[in-house]
Amino acid sequence: SIKNVNSGAGTFTVTVDQAPQGRQIKNIRVAAWSKAHQENLYWYSATPTGMHTEITVSANNHGNEAGNYTTHVYVDYKDGGVEGFNLGQTALSPRNQKVNPQTTYYSQRDPRWAGKWYGVSNVDQSGCVPTSLAMTFTDILGRTILPTTVADYLYNNTDSFNKGEAGTDSDGIVAATRNWGLKSQLVNGAGGIAEALMAGKHVLAAVGNSQFTSDPYTHELVLHGYDNGRTYVRDPYNSGNNGWYSINYLHSIKSKDPMDNKLGAPFFSIFA
């Protein structure tokens, strides 16, 4: 079914439920478009999340076009079968919302803390998540929170940071956010990222091989602000990368590392 239609934001949610005694769902594919000849067709894909799965469709993935969006859902079953559903048309009239970014910036390579050692590594080499969280917390709370303050909390109170291997897993993002009295939410798809950013939320994004990092490493970025399908990126390792980027591009370079996807996706919105 379709729910949560937000015409102005250009989004709606497709829901798929697993029948308790039915064939087991392996994968869900959603095709949506608004142009007569499917010129802005975009495919969404998701693996089931328990008995109920939600997929956000966003006009941002379809050229930000206003119109009636046709939605087809294809369910791939574990027995090899496929079933299709036509959910009809949904009217969207997305407006170009502009949310100005906040620009608090910390570098994990700052000599004040770059060499500080936690477990198997130091802030310079593996402190991108604590540094990104410090930027985000400082923005939202309006008071200075340093990368070392976040790193101290993560290392001393969780098993998520530099324990066994360098870096911070998704559980650490959730735990630190809760410790500072804020909320975090897993974000799926480019449309979900855009929706969070249009709502003024910060998004922490773990990315893989790209201009931001090289295999086999991954890297955390802070996303905030929205302007016509783009968002402002703050890179804690290289300030030269700071600037406006396409949300679709950022989603396309998402990390596939298990640490970053421990909770289902490598993107988290953070908000008060």
Side-chain angles (χ1 to χ4, degrees), residues 34-186:
S34 65
K35 291 190 173 183
H37 301 290
Q38 298 187 335
E39 295 95 333
N40 62 342
L41 170 69
Y42 186 88
W43 285 91
Y44 303 79
S45 181
T47 52
T49 52
M51 300 294 286
H52 179 77
T53 303
E54 297 190 353
I55 301 166
T56 300
V57 172
S58 172
N60 180 65
N61 294 321
H62 306 269
N64 221 34
E65 295 278 346
N68 293 318
Y69 281 76
T70 299
T71 305
H72 290 177
V73 178
Y74 299 90
V75 177
D76 301 317
Y77 294 104
K78 292 183 178 180
D79 62 12
V82 180
E83 193 170 8
F85 304 86
N86 184 346
L87 300 189
Q89 294 187 325
T90 306
L92 296 179
S93 300
R95 53 186 181 270
N96 179 25
Q97 298 182 358
K98 184 169 183 177
V99 178
N100 291 323
Q102 290 175 280
T103 54
T104 299
Y105 183 73
Y106 295 130
S107 171
Q108 67 197 78
R109 304 167 75 186
D110 189 310
R112 289 177 291 174
W113 48 68
K116 186 169 182 180
W117 206 265
Y118 294 90
V120 298
S121 187
N122 60 22
V123 175
D124 185 334
Q125 296 301 311
S126 63
C128 57
V129 170
T131 306
S132 294
L133 286 169
M135 286 190 260
T136 300
F137 296 164
T138 297
D139 280 352
I140 297 174
L141 298 174
R143 54 188 171 88
T144 299
I145 297 168
L146 297 177
T148 43
T149 307
V150 180
D152 287 347
Y153 167 78
L154 286 170
Y155 188 72
N156 293 319
N157 296 278
T158 76
D159 292 322
S160 294
F161 175 49
N162 284 4
K163 302 285 181 71
E165 61 181 306
T168 309
D169 65 23
S170 298
D171 285 334
I173 293 174
V174 173
T177 301
R178 185 184 303 118
N179 183 68
W180 265 270
L182 300 174
K183 300 173 184 176
S184 62
Q185 184 173 11
L186 191 71

